[in-house]
Structures are given as C-alpha cells and as structure tokens.
Amino acid sequence: MKIYFFVYFLASWACFLWGQAPAKKLLTQNDYLQFTEMSTPILSPNGKWSSFKLFSQETVDTVKVVATDGSKVYAFPESYGTNFSNNAQWFAFKNQQKGFGLLNLNTGKLKYNLDGTSYKFSEDGNLLGLKTTGHHGNSPKGLLLYNLSKNDSLFLEGVSAYNFSPNSKYLLYIASRNEDVSVNLLNLSDGSSIVLNERAESYSKLLWSDSGEQFFFVQNDSILYYGNAQYPTKLISQSLKAPLFKNMHIGFLAPFFSKDGRRVFFYMHRKIIPVNANDTLPSVQTWKGSDKWVYPRKIIESTPENWQMLCSWNPIKRKLQQIASPEKPQIVLTSNQKYALRFNIMDYEPLYLQHPKVDIYLLNLESGEEKLLIAKQQTGGGYIQLSPSGNNIAYFNGNDWINYSISKQQFTNLTKRFTTVLYKEKHDRPEPLIPYGMVGWTQDDTGVLIYDAYDIWHISINGKSYKRLTRGRETKTVYRLPTNLLKGYPPIRTPEFYSYEIDLSKELIMSIKGTDKSSGYAVLSPNGMIKNFGIFASKSHGLQKAKDGKAYVFITESPNTPPQLYYIKDSEKSTKLIYQSNPQYKNFVNGKRELITYKAGVWKNLNGILYYPDNYQPDRKYPMIVKIYEVQSHNFYNYCFPSLYTRDGYNPESLTAEGYFVFEPDIKYRIGNPGISAVECVTAAVNKVLSLNVVDKDRVGLLGHSYGGYETAFIVGQTNIFKAAVAGAPVTNMLSYYLSINSDDGLPQIWRMEHQQWRMGKSYFDDPEAYRQNSPIEHIKNINTPLMIWEGDQDRNIHWFQSVEMYLALRRLNKVVTFYVYPGEAHDIDISENQRDLSQKIIEWFDTYLK
C-alpha cells in the first residue's frame, strides 16, 4: 500500500508542476541577442499587407511582410529598401546577398535578380524599372523593364537615369552607347521609342509634369528642354547663356513643374572660380565684428550670392525669370505658383537665436510687383502657413494668428476673440513665443484649424466664428492630427511652411495623449462625435493609412510588452493584433516600473520613471542609478529593449538586469539658473525615492550625457548624495563654451547659452555672476564624487576640450576621475564596438562604487 501511495503522490505532484507556466529567467547579456527593434510600418495601398523591419546590432536585419488578415507572414533577412506597388500586387526590396527581390503578393512567388540595384514602380504598378550593374554573368549594364501585368520584359542597354511618367504611359531615359549619350522617350503602350536628343556630353534632371504629358531635361548644365509627350519631336530649348545668368550654371537641386505644366522651376548657382594653382600662399581669413555671420559659418553655408537661386522658365512664352536674388535668396511659392514669398535669413543677424527674424516680401510672378508683407517675422516650424489654394497666408505674430488674403489685400486677426492661450506659456526657455500650431486649412480656404494646449479649433477665415472640435481641456487630454494622413502642399525646401488641406465632411483620425503618459488614436466624425480606437495602457505610434481605403496599422508598446502591430479595417470596428515582436519576452523577468510624483521648490507634480531591478525582492535594499536629461517621463510607456549598443552607453534594462534601480526624473528650470534648477529637482526626486525605503541611500549614482552631462558635472559639485557619477560629453566651463563655435554648423554657441537649453536669458557680459554660479568648473573644489567622463575626440558640438578642462581640474585637485576618449567618435558613439565598450565601462564604474 505504501508503494502505491508513493507512486500516486509522485504522479499527482508531477502533473501539478507540468500544468504550471515555466519559471521566467533573469536576463543576461547573452540573452540581449534575441531582441530586435521594430521600424515604423508601411501599408499596401489596398490595406491587405504591411511591412516593417526588425533590427539589432548583433543580428541581421530582417524585413517582414504580414498579411493584415493574419493568414501569411514572409521574412527576408539582410534586406532593406522596401516598397509596395500602387496596385498592391507586388512587394520589392533589396537583399545584401541576392540583389533585388520581387514578391508576388497574390501567388507568393518570389524571384531575385543578383545584378539588380535601384528600382522604381510605375504609378499604376504594372511596370518595374530595375537598374543592372553588369557585374554578374554576361548581363550588360542598363535598365531591365518588367511588364508585370504581362509577365515579359525589355532590356535597355546603357541606361544611366530614367523616370516613369505619372500617368504610366511613357518612360523618359538617358542611355549611353559607345561615345554617344542620348535622351529617349519610350511609349509604354506600344513599345515604340524615339531619340529626343543625342551626342551631348551629358544630360540630367529628367522631369515630368503632374499630368504626365509634359517633360523636361537639361543638356550639359546649360540648355533646358521642354516637350510634350504627344508631340515629342517638337522640343523647345532654351540656352542658359543669357546675360541674366552670367557666370552661373544650373544648380544641383531638383527642378519641378508648375501645377498646370506650363512652367518649370529650376535652380541656378554661381560658378566658383578655381584658385590659381600657382598661388602657394594661403589666404588670410578675415573675421570682422560687423559680419552678419562668423567666418566658419560663412565657409560652411557660404553667402547669399553663392546660394541656389530659384528661377522659372515659361517655354511657350520663351520667358526666363530669376525669382531669387542675393538680396532675397529664400523663396516660398504659393501653391498656385502665382506669387512668391521672398526673404533673407541674414536680415537681422546676429540675433543669437536658433531661427532668425526676417522681413517677408510678396512678389507677383506675373507682373513683377513686390511689396513688404510682414516685418520682423519670427521663422521656424509652425509660424507661417500658405493655404493649399494659394490665396491666403497665415502667420503667428507672437500672440495671435493673422491671415492675409492675397486677392483682397486684407489682413484679418483670426483669433482676437480667443481667450484661450495659443502659445506655449509654460515653455521654460527664453525663446520667442512658440505657437501650439496651425495644422491646416479647410476646403476652399473657408477656415483654418489651430491647436491650443489640448484641443483642435476650427476658425472661419473671417475670424468671426470658431468652434472647439475636441474636449481635451477638461481631462487634460491632448488631441492632434497626424499630418502624414493629410493631403499637404510641400513648398520646395521650406518644410516650416508646409500646409495641409482638411476636409471636415470626412472623418479625421486624431492622436491622443493622456495625463498618465499613455497615447492612442481616435476618429472625429463629421457630426462631431469622437470614438477612440487603439487606446491601451501603452504608447501608440507609427500610424499608417491605406491609400485606397479605410484601413490602418499602428504600433503599440508598453513597459511589459514589446512593440505589437495592430490593424483596423474601419475606424468604427475593433482593432486586431497582427504581429507580436520578440515573443520570447515572455520567457524573461521584466522588472516593474512606476511613475513617481514629487515636488521641488516652485514646481508641483513633477514626474519620474522608477525602474525596479529585475531580481527585486521586497526585503532587500538596492543601489540606484539616476539618469538625467530635462523631461523624461513621457517615455514611461516605452518598451525598453535590452542592449549594450546605445549611442550614450545608457540602457535602463541593461542596468536593471544588473540589479540596479534606475530613476529618470523630470527637471524644470528657472531662467538664468539651469544648473541650480537641476540640483533642486534632482535632489528632491532622489529624496522622494529614498522615502520609499527600497533604495540604499549610500549607493546612489548619477548619469547624464550632453546636456545631462552638464547637469551631472554641476550637481556633483553641489551635493554629496551621489557615490559615483558618469558625465558624457559635458559642458563644464560656461564661459569657454559660450565663446566657442559649433564646427558642424559654424554657429557660435552663444545662442544655446542665452536662449536654448542653458536658458541663461542674457549674455555673459550682462550677468557674469549667473554664468559662474551655474558653471561646473567653478565648483570643482566641492566635488567628492568619483567621476567618470567620456567623450569622442571628433565632437564638433560640445568640443571635447570641455571634458579636458574638467579632467585637468580634478586631476590637479587629486580628485577621483577617469576620462575615456574615443578616437574618431563625435558627440555620440556610433561605432558598435565602442558602444559596447562604453556600456560595459559604465556598468563597471557603478559596480565598483555602488556594489
């Protein structure tokens, strides 16, 4: 009996264990290799397929193609350069080993071309152009033209450039055979081809009008050609050797057609006179105090007379026009291309601002009449918008949105009746007031849509009526329109003027951000009803809409769940999970995180993210690393991929896996006291966490990079609560940094100190004591915290001599300091071996002093 009882008990016990989920493992560095990050998805035009890339530093990148009904998943390792055809029947990509790949989405058939390089689909998706190198087998160099609908192909030898017409009727291409170069036009319906021009040294800038009937190209950078596809032999040519363009040649920027196809806009550039080879003496640099820009910036960006000048050509009227000039080189065309805004970003320099103020002039391109429209207008993203119709111009004057009607020549204050503040009133940088934004124009310019802190407003074009479309203020929920889903008008080279057309008679998709840091999407119906979709306790991003229907994909992620791809066929229906990245995450312990609320001085309800150690046990106290950089709590719902390959050596998961608490507190600032503000916020935040009685107060470290490196270097000179610290690429001497130049853009760093991150609000010479009080080097004697500093010796943003100053000062005072300099690296670490090395050194540094 005893034996039988023992067997029964053992069997029952085994069944009980077998029915349980396997115990989760603690992450180790070897496990990091299993995790991949996920790119923003793309969606096929019919919404039936989505594609994205999975990538990491130590595994091959893999392209995934997923059927949105969940029926199929394709994987293509070592691939990139993906695209769907517009008819949604084909998926193309490049593969590092196999060359060009083409997947038939209807049949699943896949084929490769080892010799294929770049490719293009025709607009209708029935044709594919594939450039071949001639490096494999006996295939020559040229263009392989696939007729995907008929399953046949045509090879065009020696093709160096090509362009499908938007109506998919024609192919314009440049071909070389022997010593002859020609521009050719291929009729894609009957296969007939004609030579448009030949025996030139070179051709370039093949261009089609929106209709696909007019084409354009350039010969030898000196002759313009315009043609009509229906009458291809009747080309119109125009020499650029006119007096208007003396000592100039065509610029490198791409030309573009007017909307009606009757004009071509192109860029001209002044010829650079080569330096005399016999002149062996170097030129002496001249740095004048009266110069608008300092000499290094002039070398990097040149000066207006050497900039790309926008011009136009009306081939029918044989009219050439230079729209830009050295006096007004910046040009923004209205969408109907009847007018141009002209200005010069050097008007009021030196201003020591990130974005300059300018005088904006309105030029009538037909009559040549010009007038000053707006004086001393602040530039930068979101200050000026041109309506998609081309009839109106709206701008933010620092308090209100003003509209100018070109036809009526009339200014209207659109928001004078508003009591809601339309600019970021709590912005803690001494910059010009920043508007929450104007998202675009309703159809036929009947009104505009603008933002306040939370909501979207519709305002009539006469400013007499307005309506709040959302109700976010009541719950402090922020509503915005994802602009990638809207039809926009893209002014050339001026993205800050980008405007969108909004149809309120159709549903609008909105993004939502809640006070708990979560985000999602909602649909605004024409009747004003709002319905949420994709709302989880998570971060939602990457929303894409199918071109031909109401289908969407988007990504969600949360602290405990890696990115998931969701699909929704109609915004009124429920969402469906179609892909879960990193399914192995369920096998590992994922440390808890929570949002900590604290106050510091005048700042109430500050937040910080507290990450728990993966091996957390309530009866123990753990070391903690505090990572600082302005406001960070918006990252609360980000999934943290474990990795040693980061550009600043910091990854919270790699530290929690090593048994650390990690804390990311928000920092707010008082103008003129950035360092002191950081001390107040960080010490208050740390004390709040210590009050939870889970962290050992004698084992707390501090970590920061760039501006966070500055804050770290300053804080350790003000308090001894940190037992070890790491400062990456820090500013350590406020005066020497203030009087330095960023070698990347040639800008003096004065603007950063006075108006941007350092928030001093005035020049050093107006308040030198404030600069000294907030400068780490001035408090170096007070540092008792072992400090690790790291930098790249090619850092052109914060010169690595800033770190050298700190190191030498600490060394002279016999303080504990170690300085790591990475040769060839800049402000961030880009070489993967160096990334891993830095991550390991940071862990070892904290292990030494906190464990």
Side-chain angles (χ1 to χ4, degrees), residues 109-262:
K109 185 177 180 181
L110 174 67
K111 61 181 177 181
Y112 287 97
N113 186 314
L114 184 61
D115 204 39
T117 57
S118 62
Y119 70 90
K120 295 179 188 175
F121 283 111
S122 62
E123 188 66 22
D124 62 8
N126 292 324
L127 298 162
L128 173 79
L130 178 65
K131 292 282 292 295
T132 58
T133 62
H135 294 160
H136 300 88
N138 298 318
S139 60
K141 182 178 181 180
L143 178 68
L144 190 58
L145 191 62
Y146 287 102
N147 189 322
L148 301 172
S149 61
K150 296 181 180 180
N151 196 27
D152 62 11
S153 62
L154 171 68
F155 183 75
L156 301 173
E157 186 175 351
V159 172
S160 58
Y162 67 102
N163 200 353
F164 288 109
S165 64
N167 58 16
S168 302
K169 292 181 179 180
Y170 305 99
L171 178 75
L172 194 63
Y173 65 95
I174 300 170
S176 302
R177 294 197 67 178
N178 300 323
E179 296 181 358
D180 292 337
V181 183
S182 62
V183 176
N184 308 268
L185 184 69
L186 175 66
N187 188 315
L188 296 171
S189 60
D190 61 18
S192 62
S193 176
I194 65 169
V195 176
L196 300 174
N197 208 292
E198 64 180 335
R199 296 184 180 178
E201 293 179 11
S202 66
Y203 296 97
S204 61
K205 306 190 187 310
L206 305 180
L207 180 70
W208 285 98
S209 65
D210 290 345
S211 68
E213 294 299 329
Q214 294 80 27
F215 58 84
F216 169 86
F217 60 92
V218 177
Q219 174 185 324
N220 297 340
D221 283 347
S222 60
I223 302 176
L224 310 180
Y225 283 90
Y226 171 94
N228 189 304
Q230 295 183 6
Y231 314 103
T233 57
K234 298 181 180 180
L235 294 180
I236 301 175
S237 63
Q238 176 72 58
S239 173
L240 295 178
K241 295 181 180 179
L244 178 64
F245 299 129
K246 185 178 181 181
N247 297 324
M248 299 182 76
H249 59 83
I250 197 161
F252 62 82
L253 295 173
F256 55 100
F257 267 101
S258 61
K259 283 188 174 181
D260 59 13
R262 297 177 181 177

Side-chain angles (χ1 to χ4, degrees), residues 437-572:
M438 173 179 162
V439 66
W441 305 75
T442 52
Q443 284 190 312
D444 302 320
D445 291 5
T446 54
V448 299
L449 264 60
I450 65 169
Y451 297 139
D452 68 11
Y454 302 103
D455 290 306
I456 305 171
W457 294 79
H458 178 215
I459 307 172
S460 64
I461 197 65
N462 58 16
K464 293 182 178 180
S465 64
Y466 53 87
K467 179 182 180 181
R468 188 158 62 119
L469 302 181
T470 56
R471 289 292 181 269
R473 182 168 294 275
E474 289 77 0
T475 57
K476 298 190 183 305
T477 301
V478 179
Y479 289 90
R480 296 294 185 256
L481 296 181
T483 53
N484 66 306
L485 305 186
L486 301 175
K487 180 181 178 182
Y489 162 62
I492 303 302
R493 298 188 65 213
T494 49
E496 66 268 29
F497 288 81
Y498 207 103
S499 60
Y500 300 92
E501 184 177 321
I502 301 161
D503 187 351
L504 293 179
S505 68
K506 298 179 180 179
E507 66 177 29
L508 293 178
I509 303 299
M510 303 181 294
S511 64
I512 305 175
K513 291 184 180 179
T515 55
D516 64 348
K517 315 300 179 182
S518 65
S519 60
Y521 299 103
V523 58
L524 173 65
S525 299
N527 62 8
M529 296 294 292
I530 295 175
K531 181 182 178 184
N532 296 341
F533 73 87
I535 302 296
F536 311 94
S538 64
K539 173 184 176 181
S540 298
H541 56 97
L543 180 68
Q544 303 291 322
K545 181 181 182 297
K547 181 180 178 182
D548 302 330
K550 288 184 178 181
Y552 303 87
V553 290
F554 60 93
I555 294 173
T556 70
E557 58 184 276
S558 68
N560 297 316
T561 308
Q564 302 172 304
L565 186 65
Y566 276 87
Y567 169 77
I568 181 169
K569 172 61 178 173
D570 190 293
S571 58
E572 296 299 320

